[in-house]
Amino acid sequence: QVQLVESGGGLVQSGGSLRLSCAASGGSLSDYRAGWFRQSPGKSHEYVAGISQSGHFTSYADSVQGRFTISRDNDKDTVYLFMNNLKPEDEAVYHCAASTRPYTSRRRDDYNFWGQGTQVTVSS
């Protein structure tokens, strides 16, 4: 089964940018729809963005629309999340996930495989 590893998190000032990457091993990420979720302490996973297998369809949570961009490079088996104009409320552990559903879902339960996450810290 596919294993996912996120990277690219770190400390950034409010208004700054980061690029997260999600690399796959043990399987091809191009076989799955993919998504990014985030979790803050004491909160459940929040949907951030999703992308179809081809990359032609993307969706975003209202809270990140216009600031974040999800993309994928199937040749590299990698999904990205470009985050611009970061705000303190974006601070969380960001997880990528892969889904076998025949549609790009916003529901956590529709995703079969998950990475361990990467911490994003935003200083005000």
Side-chain angles (χ1 to χ4, degrees):
Q1 65 184 34
V2 66
Q3 296 172 336
L4 305 175
V5 178
E6 303 92 339
S7 61
L11 173 64
V12 64
Q13 287 189 331
S14 182
S17 300
L18 281 175
R19 186 189 76 166
L20 305 184
S21 299
C22 174
S25 62
S28 178
L29 190 54
S30 61
D31 291 339
Y32 303 91
R33 287 162 176 78
W36 286 94
F37 290 76
R38 64 188 182 187
Q39 187 174 29
S40 303
K43 296 185 178 181
S44 60
H45 280 91
E46 176 191 11
Y47 175 78
V48 176
I51 190 166
S52 62
Q53 287 174 268
S54 66
H56 292 154
F57 175 78
T58 58
S59 69
Y60 298 92
D62 289 345
S63 58
V64 306
Q65 181 77 49
R67 298 188 298 121
F68 290 11
T69 301
I70 187 171
S71 66
R72 68 191 304 163
D73 184 339
N74 285 339
D75 290 337
K76 295 183 178 179
D77 250 354
T78 302
V79 173
Y80 304 98
L81 185 68
F82 296 83
M83 305 186 296
N84 296 315
N85 190 22
L86 282 160
K87 303 175 181 180
E89 53 263 41
D90 294 319
E91 184 168 305
V93 176
Y94 283 72
H95 297 266
C96 72
S99 173
T100 58
R101 294 287 187 178
Y103 50 87
T104 303
S105 175
R106 294 173 177 247
R107 296 179 65 244
R108 183 188 187 283
D109 290 346
D110 284 340
Y111 287 79
N112 310 83
F113 306 106
W114 290 79
Q116 292 298 308
T118 185
Q119 175 72 47
V120 172
T121 303
V122 184
S123 64
S124 56

